[in-house]
């Protein structure tokens, strides 16, 4: 049996498979070795994962395939050791979430794989590895196309008078936020990227406002222009994973057409594709 993990800082999805058949699935809190100690990670594996799936007493794992946020080259061996010791597996593969997205989206075919969620990322995939990656740089310097940047652009336009007055009044009524509150949350509080991305539902509900729709399309065009253009491979298909891509698929396709990219697939989660890849 193979255990597959798709892990972010907030949530980790686990899927136990047997010859391509899903045996069990469970979600635990997120794992990010950049922020968590070995003991903290081990506690999640033992208290949440093993109790949630509960098959270890009768079955053994042939392999663990772990894809996660925060997996830099220097983190791989550490995560392998923690996973192997806690879950009693001899074969453990640890890779970053971008390679997981590429494998889920393309299998063994080449293409441009993208992640559009709270943050964003992209990579040129040759069917085996990510061979080129424009650094996303986070929501201050980059992360174009993401939920965090969408929220940042929207709030900036709202408070600089670039949105209809009625929209600002509705926003302030819905969230009870002043400009001072927003400044405090973005510049003084932890996790400002999640705060900014949290306004995506409001933005989505107001896509009928021309200024809002233009902002959303513009966010995606920035992502394509500043990240995917660097690969100089407009001949390859573009496939995208992530909640922002799914919720705004129509606008994402509009942006791709405008920038000359072939967007041929959008998926919310990489797990079905990863199950197929490792079957």
């Amino acid at each position: 049996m193979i255990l597959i993990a798709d892990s972010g800082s907030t949530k980790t999805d686990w899927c136990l498979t047997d010859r391509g058949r899903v045996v069990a699935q469970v979600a635990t809190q997120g794992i990010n070795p950049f922020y968590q100690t070995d003991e903290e990670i081990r506690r999640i594996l033992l208290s949440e994962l093993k109790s949630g799936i509960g098959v270890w007493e009768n079955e053994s794992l042939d392999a663990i395939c772990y894809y996660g946020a925060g997996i830099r080259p220097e983190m791989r061996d550490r995560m392998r050791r923690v996973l192997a010791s806690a879950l009693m597996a001899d074969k453990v593969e640890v890779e970053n979430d971008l390679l997981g997205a590429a494998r889920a989206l393309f299998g063994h075919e080449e293409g441009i794989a993208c992640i559009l969620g709270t943050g964003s990322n992209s990579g040129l995939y040759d069917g085996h590895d990510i061979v080129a990656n424009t650094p996303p740089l986070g929501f201050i310097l980059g992360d174009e196309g993401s939920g965090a940047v969408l929220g940042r652009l929207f709030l900036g336009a709202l408070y600089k008078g670039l949105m209809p007055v009625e929209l600002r009044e509705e926003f302030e009524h819905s969230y009870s936020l002043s400009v001072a509150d927003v400044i405090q949350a973005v510049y003084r509080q932890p996790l400002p990227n999640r705060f900014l991305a949290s306004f995506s539902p409001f933005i989505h509900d107001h896509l009928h406002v021309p200024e809002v729709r233009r902002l959303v399309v513009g966010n995606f065009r920035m992502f394509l222009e500043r990240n995917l253009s660097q690969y100089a491979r407009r001949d390859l298909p573009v496939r995208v994973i992530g909640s922002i891509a799914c919720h705004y698929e129509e606008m994402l396709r509009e942006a791709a057409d405008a920038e000359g990219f072939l967007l041929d697939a959008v998926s919310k989660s990489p797990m079905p594709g990863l199950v197929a890849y490792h079957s």
Side-chain angles (χ1 to χ4, degrees):
M1 290 201 297
I2 298 175
L3 180 66
I4 303 170
D6 169 40
S7 183
S9 297
T10 304
K11 184 185 74 156
T12 302
D13 290 320
W14 302 86
C15 187
L16 187 66
T17 69
D18 184 13
R19 298 178 181 88
R21 179 177 62 89
V22 175
V23 175
Q25 291 180 279
V26 68
T28 68
Q29 65 178 283
I31 296 174
N32 191 323
F34 189 77
Y35 298 108
Q36 293 165 311
T37 66
D38 290 3
E39 190 53 42
E40 288 171 329
I41 296 171
R42 189 174 287 108
R43 191 179 305 118
I44 295 170
L45 297 174
L46 296 177
S47 66
E48 298 184 38
L49 173 61
K50 292 187 81 169
S51 63
I53 291 185
V55 297
W56 269 270
E57 279 131 35
N58 302 318
E59 302 283 350
S60 60
L61 289 175
D62 297 309
I64 299 171
C65 302
Y66 178 95
Y67 300 93
I71 299 299
R72 300 177 181 180
E74 66 272 17
M75 298 285 183
R76 285 196 176 96
D77 286 341
R78 181 183 151 211
M79 273 301 299
R80 283 193 196 102
R81 288 194 300 270
V82 175
L83 288 163
S85 63
L87 304 179
M88 305 299 292
D90 293 328
K91 183 180 179 182
V92 180
E93 181 182 12
V94 175
E95 302 290 353
N96 62 47
D97 54 354
L98 181 59
L99 182 59
R103 287 178 170 178
L105 290 165
F106 289 101
H108 295 286
E109 301 173 4
E110 65 176 341
I112 300 174
C114 306
I115 299 173
L116 289 176
T118 300
S120 68
N121 205 351
S122 68
L124 181 62
Y125 180 63
D126 68 356
H128 302 282
D129 296 300
I130 300 294
V131 294
N133 168 238
T134 305
L137 300 179
F139 76 97
I140 294 176
L141 298 177
D143 267 3
E144 301 87 1
S146 70
V149 170
L150 180 61
R152 174 171 63 80
L153 293 172
F154 176 74
L155 290 177
L158 196 72
Y159 290 118
K160 287 180 180 291
L162 302 176
M163 292 286 171
V165 174
E166 299 80 10
L167 186 65
R168 175 170 172 172
E169 291 173 349
E170 184 180 347
F171 175 84
E172 292 178 338
H173 176 75
S174 298
Y175 290 95
S176 299
L177 288 172
S178 67
V179 177
D181 294 330
V182 170
I183 296 295
Q184 177 73 14
V186 172
Y187 292 100
R188 300 279 184 178
Q189 299 298 319
L191 303 175
N193 56 332
R194 292 189 196 173
F195 170 78
L196 292 168
S198 72
F199 301 113
S200 175
F202 183 90
I203 295 169
H204 190 272
D205 287 344
H206 293 83
L207 290 173
H208 59 278
V209 178
E211 292 87 346
V212 174
R213 186 183 179 91
R214 281 197 296 271
L215 184 142
V216 173
V217 174
N219 187 29
F220 289 138
R221 291 190 69 171
M222 273 199 303
F223 170 73
L224 297 164
E225 178 188 0
R226 301 186 66 181
N227 296 274
L228 273 58
S229 293
Q230 313 306 318
Y231 307 133
R233 291 298 306 271
R234 279 182 169 80
D235 58 304
L236 291 178
V238 175
R239 297 176 186 172
V240 189
I241 275 175
S243 57
I244 292 296
C246 286
H247 291 146
Y248 298 94
E249 181 175 351
E250 181 183 340
M251 278 115 276
L252 178 58
R253 290 188 179 279
E254 180 180 330
D257 288 344
E259 295 293 331
F261 288 98
L262 171 62
L263 175 63
D264 73 346
V266 174
S267 303
K268 187 173 184 180
S269 167
M271 190 58 76
L274 288 175
V275 170
Y277 181 87
H278 288 288
S279 65

